[in-house]
Each structure stands twice: as C-alpha cells, then as structure tokens.
Amino acid sequence: MSTPAPTFPAPGTVRPDDGRALAPVAFATREEVGAAIARARAAQPAWAATPLPQRQAAMLALGRVILERRAEILEILNAETGRSPLECLVSEVIGTLDFARSANKVAAAALATEKVSLSMVDHPGKRAYIEALPHGVVGIIAPWNYPLINFYKHLFPALLAGNGVVMKPSESCPRTGAWLAARCADVLPQDLVQVVQGAGDVGAALLTEGIDSITFTGSVATGRKVSALAGERLVPCTAELGGKDAAIVLADCDLGRTVAGIVYWSIHNAGQNCASVERVYVEEAVADAFVQRCVAAVGTLRVAPQDGTADLGPLHTAPQLWLVEQHVADAVERGATVLVGGQRTGSGWGYAPTVLDHCTHDMRVIREETFGPILAIVRVKDAEEAVRRANDSGYGLNGSVWTKDLARGEALARRLQVGVSLVNNHAIPAIMPEMPWTGVRGTGPGVANSRHAYPAYVRRRGVLVDSNRQADPWWFPADANLAAFAEAVVQRSIGSFVGALLTLLPLLGKRQKAIREFGGG
Ligand code: TXE
C-alpha cells in the first residue's frame, strides 16, 4: 500500500529533532567540482611519493585530531541528525583513532609489493613482481545515515594508498563532511583532500569532470546510476548499497542477550543502518517469550530527549518518516500486530521504536528496506524455514543466527546468502577495518574495509625483468624446429615429462641459433 508522497522540506535545511532551520550550505557548480579535482590532482604526486610510514603517521594524526576536537563534530552531528551527542560519540567518533591504527596495518599488507613466483623451466632468467599504485584522485560519495564514518572508512585507505580525495557529502549532512575536510587540512598536505557540496548532480559531476576512481555508498537506485556512469567512462567504481538484514533466533538461544542484541541492531540509529536487523525469524518454540521480552525492552527506549541520554534520535528526514509510516500501515493492513510504538513521537521526525509481530513475506516491511526503528518479527516452524525465508530477499548484506550451539549456528549462518555472516552478533564488522564489508544481490558486490577493498584505491602494475641471455624459443622465425618444439611442449604437459625434456633440449639449441640469425647475430 502506498499513498502519494507529500511535499517535504529541502534536505539538510532543518534539524530532524525539532524542525529548526539550519544555516544554508552553498552547492558547488560543475566547474567548481572540476577545480576541486584539479587541486587534489596537483597535490597527489608528492603525497604518493611520501613513504608509507609517514602516510600512516598522518592517519594517526587525523584520527587524533577528530577525537581531540570531538565537541565540535558532536555538535554538528547532533544538529544534522538529531541524534544525541552521546549516540554520535559512541557510534561514529569514539573509534576514529583505533580505526586509523587498524587501517594502517591493513594497508601495510594490501600495499606491499608481491613477488611473483615463476617457473624456472618455463621462464628462465625472469623475475617479476606486482606493485600497488594509487589511482590518482578518488571520489567518495556518502549517504546521510552515518555521515562521518561513511567517509572515514574510505578516506583512510584511499589516502594510505597515496591518492588525493574529493568527498561529496549527502546534501542532507553537508556540514559533517565540511568539518572532516577541514580536519584533513589540519594534518595533511594542502589541497590533498577536497569537499564538494550538493545533490546528485554534483555527485555525478565527479565522474564527468574526470575523477580516477569512485567509492559510492547509498541506495540501490543511485548505486546503479553511479556504476553505469563509471562503467561508461571505465572508471573503477565500488558501490555499497542497501540491505534488508535477517536475524534468526533459535529456540536454544541465550534469550536475554539475544533480545538485547537484536533490539540494539534493529533500532540503533533509529534503524537507519544499511545492516539493521530488519527481519527477525524466530522459532515458534521460543517466539512468545522472545516477543514478550522485545516488547518490554523496546518500550523503555527513549527518542531524542534533549537531556543527552536518548537511546536513539528521530528519523533523519521527513521522507524517511513518511516511508516508515507507509511500511507500518501496510503491515497492519496485511495482518501484522503493533505491540509497542507504531506512531510518531510528535517531536521533529521522531518515530516511536516499534515491535511488529506476525509479519509475513507479502509485507513491504519484510520485502523492502524500511530504514526505521521497527523490529519486524516473522514466526517460523524451525531453522530450515528460517534460512529459506532469510534468503528470500532482494538484498544480502549481513545475516545472523542466535543460538548457544555455536557449531550449528556457524553452519546455518554460512548458508545465508549475504556478504557478512554472524553468530550471536550483527553488523559489528562495519567498524573493523580488517573485515570485508560486502554483499550480494541488491546490496551490490562492492567491498569496504580489509585488503579486499583496495581495488577501489589502487591499480596493480606487474613488472617483469628478464636477465636471460637466451631468446624465448617461440620468437621469429617460424620453422620446422619451432613445430617440433611446440609438439614437445604439448607432450611435456600431457605425456612423459622426462621424455619431452630430452626432445626439447636439442631443439632449444637449434631455435636459439635461428633466432640469433634472425636478429642479425
Ligand atoms: O542514499 P542516496 P541516501 C544505504 C542505505 C540506504 C541509503 C541511504 O541502505 O539505502 O544508503 O542513503 C548522492 N550520481 N547505505 O538516502 O539517495 C547523494 O547526493 C552521483 C548502504 O543518502 O542513494 C548522496 O551523497 N551521486 C550502506 C549519495 O549519493 C548521487 C551504508 C547517496 O544518496 C546521485 C550506508 C547521482 N546520480 C547506507 N544521486 C552499506 N551497504 O554499507 C544521488 N547521489
């Protein structure tokens, strides 16, 4: 069920918690985007030539300055998202220096030159290696839901790899991106990190104005557009998109811990997390007890009181609030029961944390990304049904199984068609630079974090040095000895290795002579 969308305030112009106006931020023109790329490009070669240990030290300085000046960013985040400074501190700021430390370790491995092991028989005298070179200037396009962390998880590795960076914050959270760019300017070479403000046209201008690689985080619809534009220009692109994560609650779980974990991962950041638990499949045997405890726990959560102790903030935008209301209304119409919440808080874009019981797969709240503080419960007969239903989704980011039987949980979690499988936790790898953050289906195959994310930041160059004084035996001229040589090579592969070698050796001598003569002696 959906009704036509009403008119909403322009993104980023009002506080989500009380609707007060925010100071406007100027958007960049296409020419200004081009100029920002050019400035970063001019600064990048010197940065790329800076030894890795110095780049790593700069990352620690960046992580440190973010922490030292946390009061400023917490105020900005609070204004732009309506979340309490405490929630912003815990979810986005607290870990910056630790993240930088771990990102430094990952970079050391990801950027190390790889020796290639070549067969001395097939490639005598040849030595080869693979090196990692920065793309040049990396564009980072971020969404609004974690406006700081969605930058720095890409910013650290992009810079460690020796790139310049142009950041494009969401038009909903421009001030957070601007503050982060200013902190980069505090500790990094001048112009290396740029920020351009604006909506989708400014994001697209990064590509049309010549960015060298693009890292996109956001919705599926935009991810497709960005990937297509990057594809046309043959620009490396990685896209991390939405999710509809499932959690499976088995009858033997530790009920208290499971309820606490699932309520947190459903409702943290008002559910505006690509890896929120948006569907809970609970085994019938434990369903009543699980639901009862969830209702009691969710009923205690407080939205956006200004005393600094809120458990969660409001929804980030008016369209988001409207979408959540649509999903709840659709679920109720199709037979779900609202056990707690289910309405606005009355302040800003606040929506009360909600438990929906008896959800089914025909409901939007189970099929589409909701991005709201909704704990949607589907009761299932057993674990098999749970796995089948969990995999029945257009997305695949995280999936978790909650049980005391770790071996069974692990086996079930590994049957989930997702990028990150967990037992007794959810979404936590997002803040682990060592762990890949990736997905399947609509979530997209893009990878953030870990050495596997590095194609977004580096290209590989293979280098081969040949010290063999003999020519390669298949060079010109083609002659009868080449034909015999080729046949002997085939025999070496499929027939007798030793026999073929005995044939090859004299032929090699003849081929060398012919090739030398061909080359003029
Ligand atoms: O996305 P949008 P939003 C997902 C989350 C949800 C979405 C919410 O699941 O689906 O992000 O973020 C810019 N060319 N994830 O609503 O609208 C736009 O200005 C270039 C996934 O902000 O797609 C903004 O800066 N850029 C996740 C950014 O794209 C364009 C983690 C995102 O906007 C553009 C967090 C265009 N044509 C959120 N149009 C994960 N999987 O890790 C818009 N933009």
Side-chain angles (χ1 to χ4, degrees):
M1 266 336 90
S2 68
T3 52
T7 311
F8 302 118
T13 56
V14 296
R15 290 180 62 112
D17 52 357
D18 59 15
R20 271 184 291 153
L22 290 166
V25 171
F27 284 6
T29 62
R30 174 184 283 260
E31 291 69 33
E32 286 167 342
V33 173
I37 296 172
R39 284 193 296 277
R41 181 161 286 134
Q44 184 265 337
W47 175 246
T50 305
L52 181 60
Q54 284 178 39
R55 299 205 295 264
Q56 290 170 316
M59 296 307 104
L60 298 182
L62 179 57
R64 179 175 292 279
V65 77
I66 292 171
L67 285 183
E68 285 171 352
R69 297 179 64 165
R70 62 191 178 284
E72 296 168 22
I73 187 60
L74 293 178
E75 193 180 329
I76 295 170
L77 284 168
N78 170 245
E80 289 198 322
T81 70
R83 291 147 59 201
S84 73
L86 175 61
E87 190 193 334
C88 295
L89 174 68
V90 171
S91 64
E92 294 214 64
V93 179
I94 202 168
T96 43
L97 188 50
D98 290 336
F99 195 97
R101 283 195 187 100
S102 300
N104 280 352
K105 283 191 203 139
V106 172
L111 298 171
T113 298
E114 270 175 60
K115 186 174 179 297
V116 175
S117 165
L118 294 174
S119 151
M120 282 167 62
V121 174
D122 290 333
H123 307 293
K126 294 177 179 59
R127 165 175 74 79
Y129 55 94
I130 303 167
E131 53 185 356
L133 302 175
H135 285 303
V137 182
V138 172
I140 306 177
I141 301 178
W144 47 255
N145 61 337
Y146 291 96
L148 187 67
I149 202 168
N150 272 322
F151 273 123
Y152 73 68
K153 74 180 181 188
H154 303 293
L155 188 64
F156 285 124
L159 290 169
L160 282 162
N163 295 286
V165 170
V166 181
M167 305 193 298
K168 208 301 272 171
S170 164
E171 57 274 40
S172 238
C173 290
R175 300 157 195 90
T176 301
W179 184 88
L180 180 58
R183 298 297 68 76
C184 290
D186 291 342
V187 298
L188 294 169
Q190 196 184 353
D191 287 341
L192 187 67
V193 176
Q194 301 284 317
V195 63
V196 290
Q197 302 289 4
D201 56 330
V202 174
L206 284 176
L207 280 157
T208 56
E209 297 308 302
I211 207 82
D212 301 310
S213 171
I214 201 94
T215 295
F216 173 81
T217 311
S219 64
V220 177
T222 311
R224 284 189 211 279
K225 286 189 211 162
V226 172
S227 303
L229 195 55
E232 273 174 27
R233 284 165 171 71
L234 299 179
V235 168
C237 173
T238 183
E240 293 167 61
L241 311 175
K244 190 73 198 170
D245 284 5
I248 295 176
V249 177
L250 299 184
D252 74 339
C253 72
D254 172 342
L255 206 51
R257 184 180 184 279
T258 300
V259 167
I262 286 186
V263 168
Y264 180 77
W265 284 117
S266 299
I267 288 174
H268 161 68
N269 194 11
Q272 300 166 120
N273 180 344
C274 50
S276 270
V277 170
E278 295 221 348
R279 301 173 288 153
V280 183
Y281 298 97
V282 55
E283 279 191 302
E284 199 60 67
V286 74
D288 285 341
F290 175 77
V291 169
Q292 209 175 27
R293 288 195 190 204
C294 285
V295 171
V298 168
T300 66
L301 297 176
R302 287 149 319 120
V303 185
Q306 287 305 326
D307 63 359
T309 62
D311 294 294
L312 62 147
L315 290 167
H316 182 60
T317 62
Q320 198 51 49
L321 173 61
W322 177 78
L323 181 78
V324 170
E325 288 181 317
Q326 297 291 302
H327 280 204
V328 173
D330 172 77
V332 169
E333 197 164 307
R334 292 175 193 272
T337 323
V338 177
L339 295 178
V340 63
Q343 77 277 318
R344 296 183 180 207
T345 60
S347 175
W349 315 132
Y351 194 85
T354 298
V355 176
L356 280 179
D357 196 6
H358 299 291
C359 293
T360 50
H361 268 238
D362 56 339
M363 297 173 183
R364 294 183 70 189
V365 80
I366 295 299
R367 303 211 72 82
E368 300 172 23
E369 190 174 53
T370 305
F371 239 49
I374 312 294
L375 204 165
I377 298 169
V378 181
R379 294 168 177 243
V380 290
K381 186 164 56 76
D382 55 21
E384 284 306 312
E385 184 187 350
V387 169
R388 185 168 49 79
R389 291 200 177 278
N391 286 336
D392 176 18
S393 171
Y395 296 93
L397 184 51
N398 282 212
S400 58
V401 178
W402 299 72
T403 173
K404 283 191 199 134
D405 184 340
L406 298 183
R408 180 168 179 241
E410 191 174 334
L412 288 168
R414 293 181 64 215
R415 286 173 55 198
L416 297 177
Q417 292 158 9
V418 293
V420 183
S421 291
L422 302 104
V423 178
N424 294 329
N425 216 320
H426 205 95
I428 189 70
I431 56 156
M432 298 173 175
E434 304 87 345
M435 280 283 282
W437 185 257
T438 181
V440 299
R441 301 190 185 127
T443 299
V447 184
N449 293 345
S450 86
R451 67 188 171 84
H452 300 288
Y454 269 75
Y457 315 120
V458 294
R459 68 184 181 87
R460 302 287 167 177
R461 177 163 64 194
V463 179
L464 184 143
V465 178
D466 195 346
S467 62
N468 191 3
R469 300 181 60 187
Q470 306 289 350
D472 287 343
W474 43 83
W475 291 1
F476 290 143
D479 58 16
N481 287 326
L482 177 61
F485 182 85
E487 181 55 28
V489 170
V490 171
Q491 288 309 319
R492 195 195 67 182
S493 296
I494 63 173
S496 152
F497 184 79
V498 177
L501 273 190
L502 293 177
T503 316
L504 276 169
L505 288 174
L507 282 171
L508 255 180
K510 290 178 187 163
R511 285 295 297 151
Q512 289 304 329
K513 187 161 174 296
I515 293 167
R516 283 268 171 211
E517 280 169 17
F518 175 79

